[in-house]
Amino acid sequence: MITAEINLTLVLRGPFLTKSSAIGAPGVDAPLARDADGRFFVPGSLVKGKLRDAWRELLSVAGSASQPEIDSLLGRDPVDGDWGRYPALLRFANFRAPLGVSKRKLRTSERIEIDRERRAVRKGFIQFIEAPFLANEMVEFSGLVKFRCRDAARATQIHKFVASGLAWVDSFGADRSVGYGELLEVRSSLAIAANMNIGDPAMPQGDRFALTLQPLEPFCVTRHRPSNNEFDSDCSIPGAVIKGALAAMINETQGSRSGAPITIQTDTSRRELCQHFHLLRITHALPAAPGKPRPSPPPLSLAVYKEAKQDRYRDLALRPAPAIDFGMAPTFAVDWKPTQFFHTAAAYGWPDLNQELRVRTAIDHETRCAADKKLFAYRSIVPGENVWHAEVDLSFVPEPDRLAVRTQLAATLGGSLSAIGKTKATARVTFAPSPRVAELVPEGSGKNMWRVLLVTPALLSDPRDLRPSQDADAGTISRDVQFAAYQKVWHGLSNGLLQVVRYFHDQALGGGVFLEGRFQKGSAQYWPWLLTEPGSVFVLQTVGDPVAAQNLLTGWQTSGLPLPGWVDELYGRDGLPGSHWKLCPFIPANGYGEIACNVSLPSDLKDKPVL
């Protein structure tokens, strides 16, 4: 397998316009798109779309001989009833103008509309367009097209396809019909990089090791969508996304569809990695400032008290009931102010991340206009210098094959991971030994209590147990019903060693059209997944052998919570248990159900007033 980059430079003739999704300077109706560094750019998605159109036109003229596989190289949408993934092999970065050009003083041009009847300017129809490029001025936009393939010959062929396709394009951007954005020249070169050698000494020893990602461009990993056409990125990168990107890289080397499942037949040179791919556990990658450790979600048992108009923080998990401290009742996260959220997140190690909004639309190939009902927006995370920390766990892989899986994993990544999230971002990858975890010690007056904090979402409560009681308000679940559901699941997971004393929790539903079609297609009834959210805290009491309970919690903290038995029953079908990776996305191997026990209050919050 090789990693290849096509260095492209598009030489455009001014004027030129690609509209920004952000608000521009006062009085400017159409500002140019800028990236996080303030540089003008041509979106990689626009270049990709123009290349697709060019290949289609060339195919209609020249026929199929020696033509690129458009769907394989550029991806395609699934047809109705098909919930497979068909991502593109080629990943287009944004094409950026030189920094000096982007720092020019604001200059605008004006466009008007003529009233057809009066043959004069139509009232109110004047547009001010940001115009840093003079008419007939040549401006260069440079960017990369990245991909992985089996050998140099294939990379050279793809380079030829891309260069010839872009040479067919006449212009880029908006207002092309009035002379904007004429393409004068395309310059390209191919660079091929070798991957990390198998057995590289940078790969740490052991069954668990830390994985650090440094994204090189904005990424969008959605979880909850505010609307059907809006995609807001979560700040973490789930283990499922990391494994999906890794699977795509393996498939690309074999010329397979990058969304195809990984099996033992996928790649014989990586036999052990492919055979045990489903047993490979990768935790969620959580953001941290450079040089800082992996953060922890603030516990929902954390409360704020007011003392002389100042905030004081207390973790109330071990208190039998919320106490009246400083002469007032506590305030929990649901009622916090934004400043309290920001301060608490910073104290637990979460960096302040920037976001950028990009509004996009699909273009109809026939009309060359915006396609109907294809407008959508990405709100992506701008990584800056921050890094994302995760952990790789090979303990579920059979011991004789662990060494082979480790070395094949290192060779596959080769120092980078690509195709992350919806923007197909690339990240640098480094390995390190896993941080040492302190020995667990029980808490409470009887030294038999444990505070279990959910670091990532987990499937816990059986939704069939959460039915409203007859005397409850419509659609509400009583406290006793919810408590009984959690008591049942923790009793089952611990084989009767632990019982719930109290809990502080938040829940959300996972599902929707895509997940239902991908994981529950053919089921008699649709059941969304009820997830208990990160930050939820369960105070558990040892009721059995204390040593066995301690060992059990240590194992959970190391390898994640197992799925409750009801998951196999409720979601199982076609002879597979409901916990199988083909039927459930929220499994421990994908980073779900990660816990931390007895997390201490950060020093920034401990008994310190916050103004």
Side-chain angles (χ1 to χ4, degrees), residues 128-443:
F128 291 90
I129 302 172
E130 184 175 6
F133 313 126
L134 300 175
N136 211 37
E137 178 184 2
M138 291 187 295
V139 185
E140 296 183 357
F141 290 84
S142 300
L144 296 175
V145 180
K146 303 177 182 179
F147 60 96
R148 294 182 183 235
C149 60
R150 58 182 178 269
D151 53 38
R154 175 60 172 164
T156 301
Q157 181 188 45
I158 293 174
H159 174 215
K160 179 181 177 181
F161 287 151
V162 172
S164 60
L166 289 176
W168 185 257
V169 177
D170 55 4
S171 57
F172 283 92
D175 294 338
R176 292 179 295 110
S177 61
V178 293
Y180 275 57
E182 180 185 357
L183 179 62
L184 300 178
E185 182 185 1
V186 178
R187 297 197 295 267
S188 66
S189 62
L190 177 65
I192 297 176
N195 277 337
M196 180 190 300
N197 294 325
I198 292 180
D200 191 293
M203 190 73 168
Q205 301 299 314
D207 297 338
R208 297 178 182 83
F209 45 89
L211 173 72
T212 298
L213 305 178
Q214 184 178 11
L216 304 178
E217 51 209 345
F219 66 86
C220 182
V221 178
T222 60
R223 188 173 170 212
H224 300 302
R225 290 166 54 180
S227 60
N228 287 336
N229 65 342
E230 184 179 354
F231 300 87
D232 280 0
S233 182
D234 197 357
C235 62
S236 63
I237 304 176
V241 172
I242 299 174
K243 290 187 68 174
L246 178 60
M249 292 168 62
I250 295 173
N251 279 315
E252 287 169 4
T253 64
Q254 302 303 304
S256 305
R257 176 173 61 86
S258 58
I262 300 297
T263 67
I264 192 173
Q265 292 84 21
T266 300
D267 184 354
T268 55
S269 66
R270 298 173 178 81
R271 179 183 176 87
E272 290 80 8
L273 176 60
C274 294
Q275 179 182 4
H276 304 301
F277 192 81
H278 64 290
L279 300 177
L280 182 69
R281 177 175 175 262
I282 301 181
T283 66
H284 287 30
L286 306 183
K292 298 295 184 181
R294 190 167 182 253
S296 171
L300 293 179
S301 55
L302 194 64
V304 176
Y305 292 90
K306 283 288 186 181
E307 181 190 20
K309 298 184 178 180
Q310 295 178 343
D311 291 340
R312 288 187 179 272
Y313 292 81
R314 297 285 188 274
D315 189 338
L316 304 182
L318 294 179
R319 296 199 182 185
I324 304 298
D325 287 354
F326 310 110
M328 66 176 301
T331 302
F332 290 94
V334 68
D335 293 317
W336 284 357
K337 304 298 182 184
T339 53
Q340 295 168 326
F341 274 112
F342 296 148
H343 180 75
T344 303
Y348 279 88
W350 295 84
D352 186 14
L353 300 173
N354 294 322
Q355 295 181 315
E356 68 174 17
L357 177 67
R358 293 279 177 250
V359 179
R360 298 169 56 186
T361 185
I363 301 298
D364 187 285
H365 176 63
E366 300 295 333
T367 65
R368 301 295 180 91
C369 297
D372 188 34
K373 298 181 180 179
K374 294 293 185 179
L375 180 71
F376 57 97
Y378 287 167
R379 193 180 302 276
S380 302
I381 298 294
V382 179
E385 298 298 321
N386 297 299
V387 295
W388 273 253
H389 296 300
E391 184 181 62
V392 178
D393 181 5
L394 305 180
S395 62
F396 296 102
V397 175
E399 188 171 0
D401 292 336
R402 289 178 191 173
L403 178 59
V405 171
R406 286 178 60 255
T407 54
Q408 292 167 15
L409 176 62
T412 302
L413 288 172
S416 68
L417 182 70
S418 54
I420 299 173
K422 289 190 169 295
T423 60
K424 307 305 176 188
T426 299
R428 291 194 185 98
V429 175
T430 56
F431 301 106
S434 290
R436 182 180 178 276
V437 179
E439 181 181 358
L440 296 183
V441 178
E443 300 178 319

